[in-house]
Amino acid sequence: MLKVSERGTALPMSPYRKLTPFADAAKQRGVGVYHLNIGQPDVETPPAMLAAVQQASIRVLEYSPTAGYPSYRHKLAAYYQRLGIVVAADDILVTTGGSEALLFAFMCCFNPGDEVIVPEPFYGPYLGFALATGVRLVAVTASFKSGYALPPIAEVAARITPRTRAVLICNPNNPTGYVYTRTELAELLDVCRAHDLYLLSDEAYREFCYDAEFVSPLQLPGADEHVVLLDTISKRYSACGARIGAFVTKNRALYQAAFKFAQLRVSPPGLAQVFAEAAADLPSSYFDHTKTEYRARRDLMLRRLRAMPGVQCPTPDGAFYIMARLPVDDAERFAQWLLESFQHHGHTVMISPAAGFYATPGAGRDEVRLAYVINQPAIEAAMDCLAEGLLHYPGRTLAQASASALHTPTLLS
């Protein structure tokens, strides 16, 4: 009998896409679905980026260089330098989205059986990358009550074994929206230097920090050999479909290893690099309106969630996600019920159960991730659906939640 590989069988479904068949079925029944499950912004992609592709004078669409077009890499280096991240074009490997940058990191920093320490909840595909490459993901759990701050550095250090090769963070964090402080990052880097570990920094949301300063560990003293910056244009320019990212490191041996993996896929997408290069010419003021809009959406969603009996949520300082604790028996069962059995004025809402963002069994069972990537009137309508759904869900635990809330410390705001 033909069988698929063990890694193919072991890979988990995406925590934010696994309920898509139920959403599709709801739409076929004529029910509108508000998508709060996935970080797909509705903010307009900059017209200058689209125009660059439309106006490109290309007779033959050839392979680009394996590392990406030099013109784009130089502009990307200048972008990082404006942020205080001192890198050169030769430190940058253009990738097919941030996902390929992550894959290169896992392939180059680990051997099968090695370990990577990751604060949880974490970006769900990290677990898939670990399973696909034979790496063991070791979680250290961040506290809901602390707003998902980095766990005490002693807890991180306690997870280190002879097989540990790296610590992986997402900053600002997906799914929590937490922004790591300079002190937290310096402590992480000190641990990595002391134990000869890589520090992998996924920075897809750096432009979207609302109440905290963004710091990249690559800005810190002593970072050059240890830090790998993993990047993408998907979120900052509302260009998820372009599939252009970057693997950035000043560690030359690591860069050369990643370059060899990049040669296996020959080159990153050529037209998408033209598109991305145009983004590098946008003024920094481009983000002013986008940031203001996301902040307003965040504040609206927080206000509506906190008005729902039994719902608790910390205030995220960055990205465009909110983690919420709901008065339900099982968040995944509730999310599926919303799509299968519920509607409010002809609509329902799709949310991401948080268990898929944890490695610890049973963790996040009553939590969900909500993406505030739709416009404010749509958020209002989606929150109406969620509030009604919580009132009518057969597995609600509102009585217990209300009683326990009397003894729950105030969350960070």
Side-chain angles (χ1 to χ4, degrees), residues 30 42 51 59 126 174 179 190 204 223 244 247 274 307 309 321 342 360 376 398:
D42 68 352
R59 187 177 64 84
Y126 291 166
N174 174 7
V179 179
D190 285 346
I244 289 292
F247 177 100
V274 173
Y321 306 103
F342 171 80
T360 302
Q376 293 181 59
L398 188 55

Side-chain angles (χ1 to χ4, degrees), residues 378-402:
I379 288 175
E380 289 276 19
M383 292 296 98
D384 289 344
C385 286
L386 183 60
E388 286 297 313
L390 286 169
L391 290 176
H392 293 92
Y393 175 55
R396 64 192 181 279
T397 58
L398 188 55
Q400 298 95 310
S402 298

Side-chain angles (χ1 to χ4, degrees), residues 48 81 113 130 157 168 172 175 187 194 245 320 323 325 332 341 359 362 391 413:
Q81 290 162 14
L168 169 60
E187 289 177 340
F320 38 61
M323 287 283 281
R325 184 167 285 171
E332 184 162 344
S341 306
L391 290 176
S413 60

